[in-house]
């Protein structure tokens, strides 16, 4: 049977994994897809690497350093974009679409920021843009959200969707080490990039969350409205205090449908240690989805790496191969909802978000201090759920108070924090972390 031809843009880690798995499992994949899927051309700036990985060029595969030639190649049916970033990758994807080619991409940044434009172009041209590999690597979460859970009104999603930060947090908790020390170790082991900013500041997680939120709620991509806070300022003491209170701290991406709008936020979050997702350690990813019919479902696996991500890229290649002869209107819509049915639901600013809070403050250890603080909290309608006070060390005049609150609107917590920080018995800034019960 005539193979479907793939043009692969980028043969780095994921591209190399895609080449390997597609060849190793060719027979099984052909049985599933209904026809062979063949990488007929590979473009990479590093031609030597392309030769090494493919063993080519040969009668079966062309190698080039000109990606624009691939998206214009009349023999190519599907373009796999594994270059990353928003620059040339965006141009190539839009050109491929303009030339009537289907696109498979792992590029979360591109879709979170320019997805609306890309999907509109694909819609006009009647081509597919598939992106399973863009979120949580090998975990088929896009398939689950877009198809498996399609009967549900999805209520919320909470995910550990960045392996680098989960590795760092696991090490900080296990070994009681500071963030900077663990980051260096993660870089030495190759878990963290030389420039780790996108990972540690939560940007990578926010890209992935933006994509999941769009599919879950049928809204356009709105990365610019996401609240993004990373883990670089997280103090190892708070991980310890959280543990004493029965919680773990994870960098969670949370998106929730509320009566007032959609929450879209990434930040360090306390979660009860007894939850399955709280026990996802190291570089692993996990996504918890709450649907009204199915209840909670949890997806766990490797969120990065050559073959896990290739697994998702190839799943998309099989889907596109099966569906490319179908009428465009009979395919699964890009964002799960029909394009003319996308809702204009607003994304809530962080001040309007309602959740629970962990507050740590340094105070003088004398009568009336706690009463002053609880009075301010009561004035803002903030109810305390749990509290610990560290016993002051010998001769110490100050101590730490840690409080957990019940559900509260963030702007009320911020107003209370301003007033508490101005009390003469309180030293320095309060530490505020958000807490999710995930029940
Ligand atoms: N850098 C990401 C992570 C993997 O650490 O999970 C690619 O999105």
């Amino acid at each position: 049977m005539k193979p479907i031809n793939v043009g692969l843009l980028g043969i780095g880690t994921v591209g190399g994994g895609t080449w390997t798995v597609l060849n190793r499992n060719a027979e099984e994949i052909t049985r599933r897809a209904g026809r062979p899927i063949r990488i007929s051309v590979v473009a990479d700036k590093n031609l030597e690497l392309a030769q090494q990985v493919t063993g080519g060029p040969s009668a079966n595969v062309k190698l080039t350093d000109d990606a624009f030639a691939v998206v214009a190649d009349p023999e190519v049916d599907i373009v796999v974009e594994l270059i990353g970033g928003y620059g040339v990758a965006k141009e190539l994807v839009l050109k491929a679409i303009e030339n009537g080619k289907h696109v498979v991409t792992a590029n979360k940044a591109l879709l979170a920021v320019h997805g609306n434009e890309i999907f509109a172009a694909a819609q006009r041209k009647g081509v597919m843009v598939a992106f399973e590999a863009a979120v949580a690597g090998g975990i088929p979460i896009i398939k689950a959200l877009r198809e498996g859970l399609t009967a549900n009104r999805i209520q919320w999603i909470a995910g550990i969707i960045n392996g680098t930060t989960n590795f760092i947090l696991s090490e900080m908790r296990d070994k009681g080490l500071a963030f900077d020390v663990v980051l260096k170790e993660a870089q030495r082991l190759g878990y963290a990039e030389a420039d780790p900013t996108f990972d540690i500041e939560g940007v990578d997680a926010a890209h992935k969350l933006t994509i999941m939120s769009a599919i879950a709620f049928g809204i356009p991509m709105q990365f610019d409205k996401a609240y993004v806070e990373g883990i670089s300022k997280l103090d190892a003491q708070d991980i310890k205090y959280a543990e004493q209170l029965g919680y773990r701290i994870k960098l969670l991406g949370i998106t929730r449908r509320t009566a007032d709008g959609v929450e879209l936020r990434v930040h360090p979050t306390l979660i009860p240690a007894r939850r399955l997702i709280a026990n996802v350690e190291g570089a692993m990813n996990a996504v918890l989805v709450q649907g009204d019919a199915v209840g909670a479902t949890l997806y766990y696996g490797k969120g990065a790496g050559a073959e896990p991500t290739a697994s998702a890229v190839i799943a998309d290649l099989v889907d596109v191969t099966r569906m490319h002869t179908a009428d465009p209107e009979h395919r699964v819509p890009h964002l799960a909802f029909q394009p003319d049915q996308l809702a204009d639901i607003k994304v809530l600013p962080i001040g309007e978000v309602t959740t629970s809070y962990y507050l740590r403050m340094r105070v003088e250890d004398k009568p009336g201090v706690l009463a002053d603080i609880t009075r301010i909290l009561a004035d803002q309608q903030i109810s305390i759920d749990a509290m610990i006070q560290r016993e002051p060390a010998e001769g110490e005049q100050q101590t730490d108070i840690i409080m957990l609150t019940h559900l509260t609107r963030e702007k009320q917590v911020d107003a209370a924090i301003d007033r508490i920080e101005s009390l003469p018995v309180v030293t320095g800034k309060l530490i505020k972390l958000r807490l999710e019960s995930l029940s």
Side-chain angles (χ1 to χ4, degrees), residues 14 106 108 133-137 160-166 191-193 198-199 204-205 208 283-285 303-305 309:
V14 179
K108 57 232 126 196
V135 181
I160 296 172
I161 43 181
N162 183 268
T164 307
T165 44
N166 203 51
Y191 282 111
E193 313 252 351
F198 262 35
D199 289 323
D204 174 73
K208 295 166 184 166
M284 300 303 280
N285 281 199
T309 313

CSV table of all heavy atoms in Angstrom, one decimal, residues 14 106 108 133-137 160-166 191-193 198-199 204-205 208 283-285 303-305 309, ligand 1:
chain,number,residue,atom,x,y,z
A,14,VAL,N,13.6,14.7,20.3
A,14,VAL,CA,12.3,14.1,19.9
A,14,VAL,C,12.3,13.6,18.5
A,14,VAL,O,11.7,12.6,18.2
A,14,VAL,CB,11.2,15.2,20.2
A,14,VAL,CG1,9.8,14.6,19.9
A,14,VAL,CG2,11.2,15.6,21.7
A,106,ALA,N,5.0,19.4,18.4
A,106,ALA,CA,5.2,19.3,19.9
A,106,ALA,C,5.4,20.6,20.5
A,106,ALA,O,5.8,20.7,21.7
A,106,ALA,CB,6.4,18.4,20.2
A,108,LYS,N,4.5,23.6,22.3
A,108,LYS,CA,3.5,24.2,23.2
A,108,LYS,C,3.5,25.7,23.2
A,108,LYS,O,2.5,26.3,23.3
A,108,LYS,CB,3.6,23.6,24.6
A,108,LYS,CG,5.0,23.8,25.3
A,108,LYS,CD,5.6,22.6,25.8
A,108,LYS,CE,6.9,22.4,25.2
A,108,LYS,NZ,7.4,21.0,25.3
A,133,ALA,N,1.9,15.8,21.5
A,133,ALA,CA,3.2,15.8,22.1
A,133,ALA,C,3.5,17.2,22.8
A,133,ALA,O,4.5,17.3,23.5
A,133,ALA,CB,4.3,15.5,21.1
A,134,ALA,N,2.6,18.1,22.6
A,134,ALA,CA,2.8,19.5,23.2
A,134,ALA,C,2.5,19.5,24.7
A,134,ALA,O,3.0,20.4,25.4
A,134,ALA,CB,2.0,20.5,22.4
A,135,VAL,N,1.7,18.6,25.2
A,135,VAL,CA,1.3,18.6,26.6
A,135,VAL,C,1.7,17.3,27.3
A,135,VAL,O,1.2,16.3,26.8
A,135,VAL,CB,-0.2,19.0,26.8
A,135,VAL,CG1,-0.5,19.0,28.2
A,135,VAL,CG2,-0.5,20.3,26.1
A,136,ALA,N,2.5,17.4,28.3
A,136,ALA,CA,2.8,16.2,29.1
A,136,ALA,C,3.4,15.0,28.3
A,136,ALA,O,3.1,13.9,28.6
A,136,ALA,CB,1.6,15.8,29.9
A,137,GLY,N,4.2,15.3,27.3
A,137,GLY,CA,5.0,14.3,26.6
A,137,GLY,C,4.2,13.1,26.2
A,137,GLY,O,3.3,13.2,25.4
A,160,ILE,N,0.7,18.4,37.2
A,160,ILE,CA,2.1,18.5,37.4
A,160,ILE,C,2.6,18.3,35.9
A,160,ILE,O,2.7,17.2,35.5
A,160,ILE,CB,2.7,17.4,38.3
A,160,ILE,CG1,2.1,17.6,39.7
A,160,ILE,CG2,4.2,17.5,38.3
A,160,ILE,CD1,2.5,16.5,40.7
A,161,ILE,N,2.9,19.4,35.3
A,161,ILE,CA,3.2,19.3,33.8
A,161,ILE,C,4.5,19.9,33.5
A,161,ILE,O,4.8,20.2,32.3
A,161,ILE,CB,2.0,20.0,33.0
A,161,ILE,CG1,1.6,21.4,33.7
A,161,ILE,CG2,0.8,19.1,32.9
A,161,ILE,CD1,0.5,22.1,33.0
A,162,ASN,N,5.4,19.9,34.5
A,162,ASN,CA,6.8,20.3,34.2
A,162,ASN,C,7.7,19.4,35.0
A,162,ASN,O,7.7,19.5,36.2
A,162,ASN,CB,7.1,21.8,34.5
A,162,ASN,CG,8.5,22.1,34.1
A,162,ASN,OD1,9.4,22.1,34.9
A,162,ASN,ND2,8.7,22.5,32.8
A,163,GLY,N,8.4,18.5,34.3
A,163,GLY,CA,9.2,17.5,35.0
A,163,GLY,C,10.4,18.1,35.7
A,163,GLY,O,10.8,17.7,36.8
A,164,THR,N,11.0,19.2,35.1
A,164,THR,CA,12.2,19.8,35.7
A,164,THR,C,11.9,20.3,37.1
A,164,THR,O,12.6,20.0,38.1
A,164,THR,CB,12.7,21.0,34.9
A,164,THR,OG1,12.9,20.5,33.5
A,164,THR,CG2,14.0,21.6,35.4
A,165,THR,N,10.8,21.0,37.2
A,165,THR,CA,10.4,21.6,38.5
A,165,THR,C,9.9,20.5,39.5
A,165,THR,O,10.2,20.6,40.7
A,165,THR,CB,9.3,22.7,38.4
A,165,THR,OG1,8.3,22.2,37.5
A,165,THR,CG2,9.9,24.0,37.9
A,166,ASN,N,9.3,19.5,39.0
A,166,ASN,CA,8.9,18.4,39.9
A,166,ASN,C,10.1,17.7,40.5
A,166,ASN,O,10.1,17.3,41.7
A,166,ASN,CB,7.9,17.5,39.3
A,166,ASN,CG,7.1,16.8,40.3
A,166,ASN,OD1,6.5,17.4,41.2
A,166,ASN,ND2,7.1,15.4,40.2
A,191,TYR,N,18.7,17.2,33.8
A,191,TYR,CA,17.2,17.4,34.0
A,191,TYR,C,16.8,18.8,33.6
A,191,TYR,O,15.8,19.1,33.1
A,191,TYR,CB,16.8,17.1,35.4
A,191,TYR,CG,16.7,15.6,35.7
A,191,TYR,CD1,17.5,15.0,36.6
A,191,TYR,CD2,15.7,14.9,35.1
A,191,TYR,CE1,17.4,13.7,36.9
A,191,TYR,CE2,15.6,13.5,35.4
A,191,TYR,CZ,16.5,12.9,36.3
A,191,TYR,OH,16.4,11.6,36.5
A,192,ALA,N,17.7,19.8,34.0
A,192,ALA,CA,17.4,21.2,33.8
A,192,ALA,C,18.3,21.7,32.7
A,192,ALA,O,19.4,21.4,32.6
A,192,ALA,CB,17.5,22.0,35.0
A,193,GLU,N,17.7,22.6,31.9
A,193,GLU,CA,18.5,23.2,30.8
A,193,GLU,C,19.5,24.2,31.3
A,193,GLU,O,19.4,24.7,32.5
A,193,GLU,CB,17.5,24.0,29.9
A,193,GLU,CG,16.3,23.3,29.5
A,193,GLU,CD,16.3,22.9,28.0
A,193,GLU,OE1,17.2,23.3,27.3
A,193,GLU,OE2,15.4,22.1,27.7
A,198,PHE,N,12.3,29.2,31.6
A,198,PHE,CA,11.0,28.8,31.2
A,198,PHE,C,10.4,27.7,32.1
A,198,PHE,O,9.2,27.7,32.4
A,198,PHE,CB,11.0,28.3,29.7
A,198,PHE,CG,10.5,29.3,28.8
A,198,PHE,CD1,10.9,30.7,28.9
A,198,PHE,CD2,9.8,29.0,27.6
A,198,PHE,CE1,10.5,31.6,28.0
A,198,PHE,CE2,9.4,30.0,26.7
A,198,PHE,CZ,9.7,31.3,26.9
A,199,ASP,N,11.3,26.8,32.5
A,199,ASP,CA,10.8,25.7,33.4
A,199,ASP,C,10.6,26.2,34.8
A,199,ASP,O,9.5,26.1,35.4
A,199,ASP,CB,11.8,24.6,33.4
A,199,ASP,CG,11.9,23.8,32.1
A,199,ASP,OD1,10.8,23.6,31.5
A,199,ASP,OD2,12.9,23.4,31.7
A,204,ASP,N,6.7,27.2,30.9
A,204,ASP,CA,6.5,26.0,30.2
A,204,ASP,C,5.2,25.4,30.6
A,204,ASP,O,4.3,25.0,29.8
A,204,ASP,CB,7.7,25.1,30.4
A,204,ASP,CG,7.4,23.7,29.8
A,204,ASP,OD1,7.5,23.6,28.5
A,204,ASP,OD2,7.2,22.7,30.5
A,205,ALA,N,5.0,25.3,32.0
A,205,ALA,CA,3.7,24.7,32.5
A,205,ALA,C,2.5,25.6,32.1
A,205,ALA,O,1.5,25.0,31.7
A,205,ALA,CB,3.8,24.7,34.0
A,208,LYS,N,1.4,24.7,28.5
A,208,LYS,CA,0.7,23.5,28.5
A,208,LYS,C,-0.7,23.6,29.1
A,208,LYS,O,-1.7,23.1,28.6
A,208,LYS,CB,1.5,22.4,29.2
A,208,LYS,CG,2.8,22.1,28.5
A,208,LYS,CD,3.7,21.2,29.4
A,208,LYS,CE,5.1,21.0,28.8
A,208,LYS,NZ,6.1,20.5,29.8
A,283,ALA,N,11.0,13.5,37.9
A,283,ALA,CA,10.7,14.2,36.6
A,283,ALA,C,9.3,13.8,36.0
A,283,ALA,O,9.0,14.2,34.9
A,283,ALA,CB,11.8,14.1,35.6
A,284,MET,N,8.5,13.0,36.7
A,284,MET,CA,7.3,12.5,36.1
A,284,MET,C,6.2,13.6,36.1
A,284,MET,O,6.3,14.6,36.8
A,284,MET,CB,6.7,11.3,37.0
A,284,MET,CG,7.7,10.1,37.0
A,284,MET,SD,8.2,9.5,35.4
A,284,MET,CE,6.7,8.5,35.0
A,285,ASN,N,5.3,13.4,35.2
A,285,ASN,CA,4.1,14.3,35.1
A,285,ASN,C,2.8,13.6,35.5
A,285,ASN,O,2.8,12.4,35.4
A,285,ASN,CB,3.9,14.7,33.6
A,285,ASN,CG,4.9,15.8,33.1
A,285,ASN,OD1,4.6,16.5,32.1
A,285,ASN,ND2,6.0,16.0,33.8
A,303,GLY,N,6.8,13.0,31.0
A,303,GLY,CA,6.4,14.3,30.3
A,303,GLY,C,7.4,14.8,29.3
A,303,GLY,O,7.2,15.8,28.7
A,304,ALA,N,8.5,14.1,29.2
A,304,ALA,CA,9.6,14.5,28.3
A,304,ALA,C,10.4,13.3,27.9
A,304,ALA,O,10.1,12.2,28.4
A,304,ALA,CB,10.4,15.6,29.0
A,305,GLY,N,11.4,13.6,27.1
A,305,GLY,CA,12.3,12.5,26.7
A,305,GLY,C,12.0,12.0,25.3
A,305,GLY,O,11.0,12.3,24.7
A,309,THR,N,8.0,11.2,24.1
A,309,THR,CA,7.4,12.3,23.3
A,309,THR,C,7.2,11.8,21.9
A,309,THR,O,6.2,12.1,21.3
A,309,THR,CB,8.3,13.5,23.3
A,309,THR,OG1,8.7,13.8,24.7
A,309,THR,CG2,7.6,14.7,22.8
B,1,LIG,N1,11.1,21.1,29.9
B,1,LIG,C1,9.9,20.3,30.1
B,1,LIG,C2,9.9,19.7,31.5
B,1,LIG,C3,9.7,19.2,29.1
B,1,LIG,O1,10.8,19.9,32.3
B,1,LIG,O2,8.9,19.0,31.8
B,1,LIG,C4,9.3,19.8,27.8
B,1,LIG,O3,8.1,20.5,27.8
